[in-house]
């Protein structure tokens, strides 16, 4: 095989209906120099049997079984076992287009990139298209917005050395655990490149974590990771735009307060709002002057999202986040 080795990390928990198609899409990639690391996170259905049957005899596949520890711990296990030059993540109920890896690694190699980002398609369990997101061009300090709009780990190809350099892992037990890491890598990765294609198929179904998430009552946001990545980013003055990092953090916190906060208890909402005030005052004290947050900017961001961030900024400045979140 020629070309750099790509490690594809696939966490699996009770995905018997989907994992066969997922694995077949990886085995059918046009780029062949891959190691496929499948971690069964204590599935109680027939997922492990489907995995073993699908990958039987394939030397590029490593199957790991562990007691149930959750998505973050499972991805961390994959990182520990990855030996590739590049890292890609794929959830066990999703699947890839056949040239997914080839397109990403070609872009990364051509630009000597630490990070390549592509688009994705949301589909239902029958493969019917629900929506499609294709990124525009990434231009440092001018148009970095697509790195913040496509924030999920699964639509990205990373150089493995960047994870080792900064000792990054997913926060265990948190919802949205990949967002802080994506924000951090957006800031520090060199020569980020976007690929104008959408070959990651993000399956929407009733058993998925995203579908079943209804507020913070039974889940915790990645508070520790947010503080960790901002502390580390503060020590790295070079890198990509601080204004875009600030905007990205405000977009995430806006979602947390006004969307994920729905259904939270009063104590949880207080914790979230207090954390938001602390983070913004400590790391982004001049957020009000952020030119990238203008509703009239030429950034490729939906206008409604620009309005939401501006409302967040006003409420933050007036110290009215909690009462607004309670009303919503």
């Amino acid at each position: 095989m020629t070309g750099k080795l790509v490690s594809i990390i696939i966490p699996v928990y009770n995905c018997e209906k989907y994992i066969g198609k997922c694995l077949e899409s990886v085995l059918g990639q046009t780029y062949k120099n891959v190691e496929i690391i499948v971690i069964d996170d204590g599935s109680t259905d027939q997922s492990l049997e489907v995995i073993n049957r699908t990958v039987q005899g394939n030397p590029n596949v490593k199957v790991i079984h562990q007691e149930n520890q959750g998505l973050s711990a499972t991805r961390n296990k994959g990182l520990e076992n990855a030996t590739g030059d590049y890292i890609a993540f794929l959830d066990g109920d999703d699947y890839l287009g056949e040239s997914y890896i080839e397109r990403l690694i070609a872009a990364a190699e051509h630009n000597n990139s630490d990070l390549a980002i592509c688009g994705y398609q949301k589909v239902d369990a029958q493969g019917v298209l629900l929506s499609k997101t294709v990124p525009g061009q990434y231009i440092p300090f001018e148009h970095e917005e697509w790195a913040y709009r496509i924030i999920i780990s699964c639509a990205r190809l990373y150089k493995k050395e960047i994870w080792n350099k900064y000792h990054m892992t997913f926060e265990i037990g948190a919802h949205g655990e990949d967002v802080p890491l994506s924000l951090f890598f957006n800031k520090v990765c060199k020569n980020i490149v976007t690929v104008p294609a959408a070959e990651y198929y993000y399956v929407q179904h009733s058993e998925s974590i995203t579908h079943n998430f209804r507020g913070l009552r039974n889940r915790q946001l990645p508070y520790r990771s947010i503080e960790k990545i901002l502390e580390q980013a503060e020590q790295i003055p070079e890198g990509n735009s601080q204004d875009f990092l600030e905007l990205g953090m405000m977009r995430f916190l806006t979602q947390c307060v006004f969307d994920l906060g729905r259904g939270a208890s009063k104590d949880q909402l207080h914790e979230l709002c207090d954390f938001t005030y602390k983070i913004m005052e400590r790391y982004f004290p001049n957020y009000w002057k952020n030119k990238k947050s203008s509703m009239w900017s030429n950034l490729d961001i939906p206008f409604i999202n620009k309005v939401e961030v501006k409302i967040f900024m006003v409420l933050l400045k007036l110290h009215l986040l909690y009462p607004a979140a309670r009303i919503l």
Side-chain angles (χ1 to χ4, degrees):
M1 294 183 185
T2 59
K4 298 292 181 65
L5 179 65
V6 178
S7 298
I8 305 174
I9 296 171
I10 308 175
V12 178
Y13 179 71
N14 288 353
C15 294
E16 65 177 4
K17 298 178 184 177
Y18 311 99
I19 187 59
K21 184 172 185 177
C22 171
L23 292 173
E24 287 170 2
S25 77
V26 179
L27 295 172
Q29 287 295 295
T30 54
Y31 188 87
K32 298 302 183 182
N33 196 17
V34 298
E35 66 170 5
I36 304 165
I37 304 171
V38 187
I39 308 102
D40 175 52
D41 188 34
S43 294
T44 57
D45 63 1
Q46 301 299 307
S47 292
L48 186 58
E49 287 82 353
V50 176
I51 293 167
N52 289 333
R53 183 169 64 248
T54 306
V55 305
Q56 185 176 18
N58 194 306
N60 295 342
V61 183
K62 179 188 299 184
V63 179
I64 300 170
H65 177 75
Q66 65 182 26
E67 297 300 315
N68 182 253
Q69 298 179 40
L71 179 59
S72 292
T74 306
R75 284 177 170 169
N76 290 339
K77 174 69 75 171
L79 287 168
E80 292 171 8
N81 284 271
T83 64
D85 303 290
Y86 289 90
I87 297 289
F89 296 96
L90 170 62
D91 287 344
D93 46 4
D94 298 336
Y95 58 95
L96 306 175
E98 64 178 9
S99 61
Y100 175 82
I101 295 296
E102 183 175 13
R103 289 190 183 203
L104 280 169
I105 198 165
E109 287 286 281
H110 179 75
N111 294 276
N112 191 26
S113 301
D114 290 337
L115 168 62
I117 302 170
C118 70
Y120 59 90
Q121 299 184 47
K122 288 186 177 181
V123 297
D124 66 16
Q126 287 71 47
V128 176
L129 177 67
L130 303 175
S131 65
K132 185 175 183 179
T133 301
V134 179
Q137 186 180 10
Y138 178 97
I139 303 174
F141 295 92
E142 295 181 28
H143 284 281
E144 297 185 11
E145 63 266 27
W146 277 104
Y148 292 91
R149 287 187 62 182
I150 300 178
I151 207 74
I152 57 173
S153 295
C154 291
R156 294 169 166 233
L157 181 74
Y158 290 97
K159 276 188 179 176
K160 176 64 159 57
E161 64 187 35
I162 202 76
W163 286 80
N164 297 336
K165 179 179 180 179
Y166 295 107
H167 308 289
M168 285 294 164
T169 56
F170 293 93
E171 181 179 339
I172 294 174
H175 177 80
E177 72 289 339
D178 52 348
V179 175
L181 297 181
S182 294
L183 292 173
F184 177 77
F185 286 128
N186 288 350
K187 178 65 169 65
V188 303
C189 283
K190 297 178 181 178
N191 304 324
I192 294 174
V193 63
T194 51
V195 177
E199 287 197 274
Y200 188 95
Y201 292 86
Y202 187 21
V203 180
Q204 310 294 291
H205 58 86
S206 59
E207 296 89 12
S208 68
I209 292 175
T210 301
H211 182 91
N212 288 300
F213 185 70
R214 294 292 183 271
L216 302 177
R217 192 167 295 276
N218 298 313
R219 296 185 186 273
Q220 181 80 359
L221 288 171
Y223 296 128
R224 293 194 306 275
S225 289
I226 291 172
E227 292 196 86
K228 176 184 176 181
I229 67 101
L230 291 177
E231 182 178 345
Q232 284 194 248
E234 192 176 47
Q235 307 303 315
I236 309 169
E238 69 275 10
N240 303 310
S241 170
Q242 181 71 12
D243 284 343
F244 273 103
L245 174 62
E246 182 175 80
L247 179 60
M249 182 58 67
M250 287 195 292
R251 292 189 74 216
F252 179 56
L253 292 173
T254 297
Q255 181 188 23
C256 291
V257 173
F258 300 126
D259 186 8
L260 303 185
R262 294 176 184 175
S265 67
K266 291 182 179 180
D267 287 344
Q268 288 173 315
L269 262 187
H270 269 301
E271 180 186 25
L272 172 56
C273 292
D274 289 345
F275 176 81
T276 299
Y277 287 125
K278 180 180 73 171
I279 288 299
M280 295 304 297
E281 291 169 5
R282 168 66 180 82
Y283 294 101
F284 306 108
N286 298 313
Y287 69 90
W288 193 253
K289 300 178 182 179
N290 189 317
K291 295 180 180 179
K292 304 298 183 185
S293 68
S294 170
M295 291 189 294
W296 317 114
S297 74
N298 66 347
L299 300 182
D300 195 356
I301 296 174
F303 185 72
I304 185 62
N305 295 153
K306 296 179 181 180
V307 173
E308 290 168 347
V309 169
K310 189 58 69 174
I311 292 172
F312 168 85
M313 294 170 70
V314 171
L315 294 172
L316 186 67
K317 191 174 182 66
L318 297 176
H319 221 77
L320 292 175
L321 280 180
Y322 178 76
R326 287 288 293 163
I327 292 171
L328 291 173

